[in-house]
Amino acid sequence: MSAPAPAEQQPWELWYWPGIKGRGEYVRLVFEEAGVPYKDMGQSAGFAGIMEFVWKGGNAGFPIRAPPAVRRGDFTLSGTPVVMAYLGRQFGLMPADPEAAAHVEQLLAVVTDGVGEGRLAFHPKDHYASHKTQVAESVPYIKQYGEQRLPKYLAYWEEVLSKNPTRSGFLVGADISVADLAVYQFMAAAQQHYRQWYDAVEAPAAKAHQARIAARPRLAAYLASDRCLPWDGDSMM
């Protein structure tokens, strides 16, 4: 019997719920932009398989709080911004300069806040129940996020882009980073789920950035492929 391949030669696995973009999409975009093969385990293991891996003893590595998680060999990691930062360092999508890298992680944290707020607006009565069980109750909260919170996030992306001294069109430094991928996905989700307010906000730099990231060759191919899952209408995911 041959010895197992070293961890660095084993394929990456993404563990996330099947059939939805969700927070798993942020991690998918890192793999896709980097051109690194990965197995989307939700599509093969199904909902029960994700439950088994995350919470029922299927993961023999470091404990996972919730999906999305990645695994390669014996290494496991969860937490969307943490996974993005880690993979960014592995795949050349994080600045080498420690201070610039810290700014990328700051932006990942802001995206996490924005997504969390946007999601809760769809689940105001019961944070853990389907949006379909609380559609009427969610209406004022969705409106509030769209009118009061979303413009602040878009204004922040505008400010970050305008104050990048390299004028590269990226958020931090002269090259693309995982922050650009995270902000792209935030913008795409806002456009999908908060469209009337997204359209009303004047954010030309942020919207142009969104379009540029979507047009990058590997991402454009992914977004046009069958592997890119449809949007879920139940949340800002």
Side-chain angles (χ1 to χ4, degrees):
M1 180 181 296
S2 60
E8 63 271 13
Q9 297 179 13
Q10 296 181 33
W12 283 99
E13 298 171 350
L14 168 62
W15 291 81
Y16 194 70
W17 309 117
I20 61 170
K21 289 181 181 291
R23 289 182 174 88
E25 190 72 359
Y26 290 84
V27 181
R28 293 185 190 102
L29 292 178
V30 180
F31 285 117
E32 296 292 342
E33 171 61 25
V36 173
Y38 64 102
K39 295 181 179 179
D40 199 334
M41 302 304 294
Q43 310 313 312
S44 56
F47 188 88
I50 301 299
M51 293 280 288
E52 174 66 27
F53 179 72
V54 175
W55 291 306
K56 297 183 178 180
N59 168 33
F62 194 85
I64 292 167
R65 170 62 188 91
V70 293
R71 176 171 72 173
R72 185 173 66 165
D74 295 330
F75 176 72
T76 58
L77 186 68
S78 66
T80 308
V82 176
V83 170
M84 293 188 77
Y86 176 82
L87 294 181
R89 290 185 170 91
Q90 298 296 306
F91 303 157
L93 293 171
M94 281 285 279
D97 175 68
E99 292 182 355
H103 288 150
V104 168
E105 294 193 62
Q106 174 183 319
L107 295 177
L108 296 179
V110 175
V111 168
T112 300
D113 289 344
V115 171
E117 288 184 47
R119 179 196 173 276
L120 286 180
F122 281 78
H123 307 265
K125 184 176 71 172
D126 185 338
H127 295 343
Y128 310 107
S130 168
H131 171 65
K132 296 180 179 65
T133 68
Q134 47 197 312
V135 172
E137 293 90 342
S138 72
V139 170
Y141 293 94
I142 292 171
K143 183 174 183 288
Q144 183 182 44
Y145 182 86
E147 289 181 346
Q148 298 182 25
R149 299 299 293 165
L150 182 62
K152 293 182 179 181
Y153 284 105
L154 269 61
Y156 180 60
W157 313 140
E158 290 280 305
E159 181 182 13
V160 173
L161 286 162
S162 71
K163 292 186 176 179
N164 183 342
T166 70
R167 302 297 180 188
S168 62
F170 299 119
L171 289 157
V172 179
D175 299 309
I176 190 171
S177 72
V178 290
D180 295 287
L181 303 176
V183 171
Y184 159 76
Q185 182 62 16
F186 174 93
M187 292 287 288
Q191 185 177 24
Q192 173 70 23
H193 298 300
Y194 289 90
R195 186 174 299 271
Q196 71 182 86
W197 299 284
Y198 170 98
D199 289 344
V201 175
E202 292 291 333
K207 292 179 181 181
H209 173 270
Q210 178 189 352
R212 283 196 306 275
I213 299 302
R216 292 179 65 84
R218 287 173 177 162
L219 292 185
Y222 166 68
L223 294 172
S225 73
D226 293 340
R227 296 183 296 109
C228 184
L229 296 166
W231 289 100
D232 185 342
D234 283 2
S235 194
M236 187 178 171
M237 304 288 283

